[in-house]
Amino acid sequence: MKNKKVISHLKSYAKKLKQNLFVLYLSYKDPRAPWYAKAVAICVVAYAFSPIDLIPDFIPILGYLDDLVIVPLGILLALKLIPSIIIKENLKAADELKRNGKQKNWLVGILFILIWFLCGLWICKIGFNFYKKFL
């Protein structure tokens, strides 16, 4: 019985979080929002809609860290920075947008692929230099 309550609460929280993500998507386009709120909102929305995670999900525990911690904290921060009147106005529009489907941000996805590729090259370079040094 207690497990059903927890699962129900988590589903409700996830639904609210997703709703807030669409509110942010609409709010960063609003000219009344401050530039710093727009910057945070666009980063959170782009990352959440990106098909690629900064930390891949196949990495145990850390792979889901961004989905469970980073994205919700980013949403909370962006919502605190955006004036409440803008958020209230975008709640209804967010419902409509959510029903039409989520957009993919392939530009951010390509950026994350590039970051992982550069990290791989950097690790290979360090390994090669380490190998040369001791042989």
Side-chain angles (χ1 to χ4, degrees), residues 107-124:
L107 180 65
V108 175
I110 291 169
L111 177 67
F112 284 123
I113 290 172
L114 182 63
I115 289 170
W116 277 106
F117 179 73
L118 292 174
C119 286
L121 286 176
W122 179 66
I123 289 170
C124 288

Side-chain angles (χ1 to χ4, degrees), residues 70-83:
I70 297 171
V71 172
L73 288 178
I75 291 172
L76 288 174
L77 175 64
L79 288 174
K80 293 285 185 190
L81 296 174
I82 295 171

